[in-house]
Amino acid sequence: MYLLGLDIGTSSIKVSVVDIDTQKRVATAQYPEEEAEIKSLKSGWAEQSPVDWWQNAVHAILQLNATGIFNPKDIKAIGIAYQMHGLVIVDQNQNVLRDSIIWCDSRAVELGEEAFDAIGHDKCLQDMLNSPGNFTASKLAWVKNNEPEIYKQIDKVMLPGDFIAMKFTGKISTSIASLSEGVFWNFREDEVSKEVLDHYGIDQKLIPDIKPLFSVHGSLKADVAALLGLQQGIPVSYKSGDQPNNALSLNVLKPGEVAATAGTSGVIYGVSDELTYDPQSRVNTFAHVTYAKEKKHTGVLLCINGTGSMYRWAKHNFAPHLSYAALNELAATAPIGSKGLKVLPFGNGAERMLNNKYTGAQLLGIDLNLHKQPEIFRAVQEGIAFAFRYGLDIMRENGMQPKVIRAGMANLFLSKVFAQTFVDVTGVPVELYENDGSVGAALGAGIGAGIFESPEAAFTQHELIRYLEPKNSEAYEPIYAEWKNLLDKAL
């Protein structure tokens, strides 16, 4: 028997099938092969089509089935991980009313800051654990203010994973975790935030039914089952934002455990058993996958918008015909510090850890006679690692003191240069595992369907691939200090 997991990413849709007995991936597929487009009609805007997400998911699942490694009829449950904070709105017939305003879109920053002031900083932080910022509630307010004719047609507001589950099942639901990432949830009262809805003038009827994250969110419709070759009626039994899901995939479930990922965006995510918050809302706190009213596990999330997106930009503009593996090999031939070349990787929207400021990405200290491709690609990887260190220091200010960080062997962590630089600069050892977001979503489906009796039971065969310890911290410390000084000037 098998489980199907989908990771609805910004760059592509990745799907995996996991064997229930071994808890291992048996097949995987990804669509499209090249990075999906982010539509940017104005500076700081970022949109994608939910219809494209669904069509890409269908393509990926059909590619997965075509491997012939498993019988699709033996899949027993479906789980979904998704890019966080995106706004999806549909009418009464479940038709999408506009493209999704996604996580890295900056248009609602001013609205969020106004709400932060009007509701009260202490009230927002103590109850919602965050400033409204440019999260989903503020994005919805932007539509209300700027596209009133569209807003009038809204029947339900969703996060991206809620939309994909709707396409599978025809049912619309959400969870506390999803609402918290949209800053729709009051943690103190354990209910939808009346303060946020009232400030923005949003009717609570737009919020879908709330279900436990690990539960049946609907059953696979007959027409979708026929299209995908799956068994009609199997449950969609798990939906989670990509970062809590990444933590789940790495068995990061208990307070004090920490996960990291470096895909399109970069994240450090630590589990806490306290309703903690950063007074400046530079890092954010949302409900973890194990959150319950009697066990309030939260996830403290540092997000850097410009990680994989920065590396992708460098590849497309400096070496478009080389693979990422080849770029990593090139970077390894440059010395620590990239001969003085430095990169600020902040060119993908306003950065929350920089107080919602936008510096743009910057290549600094270019010597036309000295710097070539190896230095460029190493400097990009080092700049991203430095950004992680900057954010981790903010998390340390807020009580998160990781002794080890777990990461999946994927994306930038496939680069030996980046992985070791991350460890050297942060000073924290890293454990690398094979699991990724789509595998985590599949295992989450098993938990939600009751196939695994608990989250812990889904990871009895979790295996460590590699353990990295700091080796060059002393060499990197002055280089990081120079980089931080450049960032301070940019800010």
mmCIF file of all heavy atoms in Angstrom, residues 278-304:
data_model
loop_
_atom_site.group_PDB
_atom_site.id
_atom_site.type_symbol
_atom_site.label_atom_id
_atom_site.label_comp_id
_atom_site.label_asym_id
_atom_site.label_seq_id
_atom_site.Cartn_x
_atom_site.Cartn_y
_atom_site.Cartn_z
ATOM 1 N N ASP A 278 8.433 37.748 18.091
ATOM 2 C CA ASP A 278 9.483 38.750 17.989
ATOM 3 C C ASP A 278 8.832 40.129 18.075
ATOM 4 O O ASP A 278 7.909 40.414 17.309
ATOM 5 C CB ASP A 278 10.236 38.599 16.660
ATOM 6 C CG ASP A 278 11.255 39.709 16.444
ATOM 7 O OD1 ASP A 278 12.029 39.977 17.382
ATOM 8 O OD2 ASP A 278 11.264 40.308 15.355
ATOM 9 N N PRO A 279 9.286 41.000 18.985
ATOM 10 C CA PRO A 279 8.651 42.312 19.118
ATOM 11 C C PRO A 279 8.630 43.112 17.817
ATOM 12 O O PRO A 279 7.743 43.951 17.623
ATOM 13 C CB PRO A 279 9.518 43.010 20.182
ATOM 14 C CG PRO A 279 10.099 41.894 20.979
ATOM 15 C CD PRO A 279 10.330 40.785 20.000
ATOM 16 N N GLN A 280 9.595 42.864 16.914
ATOM 17 C CA GLN A 280 9.619 43.577 15.640
ATOM 18 C C GLN A 280 8.985 42.761 14.501
ATOM 19 O O GLN A 280 8.978 43.204 13.357
ATOM 20 C CB GLN A 280 11.060 43.932 15.271
ATOM 21 C CG GLN A 280 11.729 44.870 16.254
ATOM 22 C CD GLN A 280 13.135 45.226 15.820
ATOM 23 O OE1 GLN A 280 13.370 45.644 14.688
ATOM 24 N NE2 GLN A 280 14.092 45.045 16.717
ATOM 25 N N SER A 281 8.494 41.558 14.820
ATOM 26 C CA SER A 281 7.861 40.681 13.829
ATOM 27 C C SER A 281 8.785 40.381 12.652
ATOM 28 O O SER A 281 8.340 40.188 11.519
ATOM 29 C CB SER A 281 6.541 41.294 13.329
ATOM 30 O OG SER A 281 5.623 40.277 12.969
ATOM 31 N N ARG A 282 10.101 40.297 12.936
ATOM 32 C CA ARG A 282 11.070 39.954 11.884
ATOM 33 C C ARG A 282 11.077 38.456 11.616
ATOM 34 O O ARG A 282 11.354 38.008 10.507
ATOM 35 C CB ARG A 282 12.464 40.433 12.281
ATOM 36 C CG ARG A 282 12.600 41.934 12.435
ATOM 37 C CD ARG A 282 13.880 42.277 13.181
ATOM 38 N NE ARG A 282 13.852 41.748 14.546
ATOM 39 C CZ ARG A 282 14.881 41.779 15.385
ATOM 40 N NH1 ARG A 282 16.034 42.295 14.997
ATOM 41 N NH2 ARG A 282 14.762 41.277 16.606
ATOM 42 N N VAL A 283 10.862 37.673 12.645
ATOM 43 C CA VAL A 283 10.576 36.251 12.484
ATOM 44 C C VAL A 283 9.143 36.053 12.952
ATOM 45 O O VAL A 283 8.607 36.855 13.719
ATOM 46 C CB VAL A 283 11.562 35.360 13.277
ATOM 47 C CG1 VAL A 283 12.971 35.546 12.762
ATOM 48 C CG2 VAL A 283 11.511 35.641 14.775
ATOM 49 N N ASN A 284 8.503 35.010 12.494
ATOM 50 C CA ASN A 284 7.069 34.851 12.706
ATOM 51 C C ASN A 284 6.751 33.523 13.371
ATOM 52 O O ASN A 284 7.494 32.551 13.215
ATOM 53 C CB ASN A 284 6.335 34.963 11.370
ATOM 54 C CG ASN A 284 6.595 36.304 10.708
ATOM 55 O OD1 ASN A 284 7.380 36.398 9.779
ATOM 56 N ND2 ASN A 284 5.970 37.344 11.194
ATOM 57 N N THR A 285 5.646 33.505 14.088
ATOM 58 C CA THR A 285 5.227 32.305 14.799
ATOM 59 C C THR A 285 3.862 31.872 14.298
ATOM 60 O O THR A 285 2.913 32.672 14.285
ATOM 61 C CB THR A 285 5.168 32.568 16.313
ATOM 62 O OG1 THR A 285 6.447 33.032 16.760
ATOM 63 C CG2 THR A 285 4.825 31.286 17.062
ATOM 64 N N PHE A 286 3.775 30.619 13.890
ATOM 65 C CA PHE A 286 2.522 30.045 13.404
ATOM 66 C C PHE A 286 2.259 28.730 14.134
ATOM 67 O O PHE A 286 3.133 28.209 14.828
ATOM 68 C CB PHE A 286 2.598 29.787 11.892
ATOM 69 C CG PHE A 286 3.013 30.998 11.097
ATOM 70 C CD1 PHE A 286 4.203 31.019 10.390
ATOM 71 C CD2 PHE A 286 2.209 32.129 11.055
ATOM 72 C CE1 PHE A 286 4.592 32.134 9.661
ATOM 73 C CE2 PHE A 286 2.588 33.253 10.330
ATOM 74 C CZ PHE A 286 3.779 33.254 9.628
ATOM 75 N N ALA A 287 1.066 28.205 13.996
ATOM 76 C CA ALA A 287 0.747 26.904 14.585
ATOM 77 C C ALA A 287 1.530 25.809 13.858
ATOM 78 O O ALA A 287 1.537 25.754 12.634
ATOM 79 C CB ALA A 287 -0.755 26.635 14.496
ATOM 80 N N HIS A 288 2.184 24.942 14.638
ATOM 81 C CA HIS A 288 2.903 23.805 14.048
ATOM 82 C C HIS A 288 1.888 22.710 13.692
ATOM 83 O O HIS A 288 0.724 22.763 14.096
ATOM 84 C CB HIS A 288 3.949 23.293 15.038
ATOM 85 C CG HIS A 288 4.898 22.289 14.456
ATOM 86 N ND1 HIS A 288 5.377 22.389 13.157
ATOM 87 C CD2 HIS A 288 5.460 21.150 14.966
ATOM 88 C CE1 HIS A 288 6.187 21.380 12.915
ATOM 89 N NE2 HIS A 288 6.253 20.616 13.989
ATOM 90 N N VAL A 289 2.357 21.701 12.961
ATOM 91 C CA VAL A 289 1.458 20.612 12.558
ATOM 92 C C VAL A 289 0.918 19.855 13.766
ATOM 93 O O VAL A 289 -0.150 19.245 13.690
ATOM 94 C CB VAL A 289 2.161 19.636 11.584
ATOM 95 C CG1 VAL A 289 2.509 20.317 10.275
ATOM 96 C CG2 VAL A 289 3.406 19.018 12.215
ATOM 97 N N THR A 290 1.635 19.889 14.899
ATOM 98 C CA THR A 290 1.196 19.187 16.104
ATOM 99 C C THR A 290 0.446 20.104 17.068
ATOM 100 O O THR A 290 0.174 19.713 18.205
ATOM 101 C CB THR A 290 2.402 18.565 16.825
ATOM 102 O OG1 THR A 290 3.408 19.582 17.033
ATOM 103 C CG2 THR A 290 3.007 17.435 16.015
ATOM 104 N N TYR A 291 0.094 21.322 16.614
ATOM 105 C CA TYR A 291 -0.617 22.265 17.478
ATOM 106 C C TYR A 291 -1.982 21.707 17.868
ATOM 107 O O TYR A 291 -2.726 21.171 17.052
ATOM 108 C CB TYR A 291 -0.807 23.598 16.749
ATOM 109 C CG TYR A 291 -1.524 24.658 17.573
ATOM 110 C CD1 TYR A 291 -0.808 25.566 18.329
ATOM 111 C CD2 TYR A 291 -2.914 24.729 17.579
ATOM 112 C CE1 TYR A 291 -1.456 26.547 19.077
ATOM 113 C CE2 TYR A 291 -3.574 25.695 18.325
ATOM 114 C CZ TYR A 291 -2.840 26.602 19.067
ATOM 115 O OH TYR A 291 -3.490 27.548 19.805
ATOM 116 N N ALA A 292 -2.299 21.835 19.148
ATOM 117 C CA ALA A 292 -3.632 21.509 19.655
ATOM 118 C C ALA A 292 -3.926 22.458 20.805
ATOM 119 O O ALA A 292 -3.008 23.012 21.416
ATOM 120 C CB ALA A 292 -3.691 20.058 20.134
ATOM 121 N N LYS A 293 -5.189 22.642 21.117
ATOM 122 C CA LYS A 293 -5.552 23.587 22.169
ATOM 123 C C LYS A 293 -4.948 23.194 23.507
ATOM 124 O O LYS A 293 -4.638 24.050 24.339
ATOM 125 C CB LYS A 293 -7.070 23.708 22.256
ATOM 126 C CG LYS A 293 -7.680 24.366 21.008
ATOM 127 C CD LYS A 293 -9.145 24.667 21.153
ATOM 128 C CE LYS A 293 -9.678 25.382 19.903
ATOM 129 N NZ LYS A 293 -11.109 25.738 20.010
ATOM 130 N N GLU A 294 -4.767 21.886 23.713
ATOM 131 C CA GLU A 294 -4.171 21.432 24.967
ATOM 132 C C GLU A 294 -2.651 21.277 24.864
ATOM 133 O O GLU A 294 -1.982 21.012 25.863
ATOM 134 C CB GLU A 294 -4.802 20.099 25.392
ATOM 135 C CG GLU A 294 -4.528 18.923 24.467
ATOM 136 C CD GLU A 294 -5.438 18.892 23.243
ATOM 137 O OE1 GLU A 294 -6.259 19.819 23.090
ATOM 138 O OE2 GLU A 294 -5.326 17.945 22.450
ATOM 139 N N LYS A 295 -2.097 21.441 23.663
ATOM 140 C CA LYS A 295 -0.640 21.287 23.451
ATOM 141 C C LYS A 295 -0.240 22.280 22.373
ATOM 142 O O LYS A 295 -0.140 21.942 21.197
ATOM 143 C CB LYS A 295 -0.315 19.848 23.023
ATOM 144 C CG LYS A 295 1.170 19.543 22.947
ATOM 145 C CD LYS A 295 1.428 18.068 22.655
ATOM 146 C CE LYS A 295 0.950 17.654 21.284
ATOM 147 N NZ LYS A 295 1.334 16.252 20.957
ATOM 148 N N LYS A 296 -0.005 23.518 22.786
ATOM 149 C CA LYS A 296 0.158 24.603 21.827
ATOM 150 C C LYS A 296 1.579 24.650 21.264
ATOM 151 O O LYS A 296 2.371 25.538 21.592
ATOM 152 C CB LYS A 296 -0.245 25.931 22.458
ATOM 153 C CG LYS A 296 -1.737 25.962 22.816
ATOM 154 C CD LYS A 296 -2.199 27.345 23.236
ATOM 155 C CE LYS A 296 -3.714 27.353 23.456
ATOM 156 N NZ LYS A 296 -4.227 28.677 23.817
ATOM 157 N N HIS A 297 1.881 23.691 20.400
ATOM 158 C CA HIS A 297 3.163 23.680 19.715
ATOM 159 C C HIS A 297 3.127 24.685 18.560
ATOM 160 O O HIS A 297 2.250 24.622 17.699
ATOM 161 C CB HIS A 297 3.479 22.285 19.173
ATOM 162 C CG HIS A 297 3.902 21.333 20.234
ATOM 163 N ND1 HIS A 297 4.265 20.027 19.978
ATOM 164 C CD2 HIS A 297 4.050 21.488 21.579
ATOM 165 C CE1 HIS A 297 4.602 19.427 21.100
ATOM 166 N NE2 HIS A 297 4.467 20.285 22.082
ATOM 167 N N THR A 298 4.073 25.595 18.577
ATOM 168 C CA THR A 298 4.155 26.590 17.518
ATOM 169 C C THR A 298 5.455 26.416 16.745
ATOM 170 O O THR A 298 6.398 25.768 17.207
ATOM 171 C CB THR A 298 4.081 28.016 18.086
ATOM 172 O OG1 THR A 298 5.141 28.199 19.030
ATOM 173 C CG2 THR A 298 2.742 28.262 18.757
ATOM 174 N N GLY A 299 5.497 27.001 15.558
ATOM 175 C CA GLY A 299 6.706 27.010 14.746
ATOM 176 C C GLY A 299 7.199 28.433 14.592
ATOM 177 O O GLY A 299 6.469 29.296 14.106
ATOM 178 N N VAL A 300 8.420 28.685 15.047
ATOM 179 C CA VAL A 300 9.039 30.007 14.892
ATOM 180 C C VAL A 300 9.789 29.991 13.566
ATOM 181 O O VAL A 300 10.721 29.193 13.382
ATOM 182 C CB VAL A 300 9.980 30.317 16.060
ATOM 183 C CG1 VAL A 300 10.603 31.704 15.891
ATOM 184 C CG2 VAL A 300 9.234 30.228 17.386
ATOM 185 N N LEU A 301 9.394 30.862 12.643
ATOM 186 C CA LEU A 301 9.828 30.770 11.259
ATOM 187 C C LEU A 301 10.603 32.009 10.835
ATOM 188 O O LEU A 301 10.092 33.124 10.908
ATOM 189 C CB LEU A 301 8.603 30.564 10.361
ATOM 190 C CG LEU A 301 8.828 30.281 8.880
ATOM 191 C CD1 LEU A 301 7.645 29.484 8.317
ATOM 192 C CD2 LEU A 301 8.979 31.561 8.057
ATOM 193 N N LEU A 302 11.824 31.777 10.421
ATOM 194 C CA LEU A 302 12.618 32.792 9.734
ATOM 195 C C LEU A 302 12.519 32.523 8.243
ATOM 196 O O LEU A 302 12.820 31.413 7.796
ATOM 197 C CB LEU A 302 14.085 32.704 10.166
ATOM 198 C CG LEU A 302 15.082 33.332 9.178
ATOM 199 C CD1 LEU A 302 15.063 34.835 9.303
ATOM 200 C CD2 LEU A 302 16.477 32.781 9.361
ATOM 201 N N CYS A 303 12.106 33.522 7.469
ATOM 202 C CA CYS A 303 12.003 33.357 6.020
ATOM 203 C C CYS A 303 12.881 34.364 5.303
ATOM 204 O O CYS A 303 12.867 35.550 5.636
ATOM 205 C CB CYS A 303 10.562 33.527 5.559
ATOM 206 S SG CYS A 303 10.344 33.324 3.763
ATOM 207 N N ILE A 304 13.655 33.874 4.341
ATOM 208 C CA ILE A 304 14.445 34.720 3.452
ATOM 209 C C ILE A 304 13.899 34.496 2.048
ATOM 210 O O ILE A 304 13.966 33.386 1.513
ATOM 211 C CB ILE A 304 15.944 34.346 3.501
ATOM 212 C CG1 ILE A 304 16.456 34.350 4.937
ATOM 213 C CG2 ILE A 304 16.765 35.288 2.631
ATOM 214 C CD1 ILE A 304 17.747 33.579 5.121
#
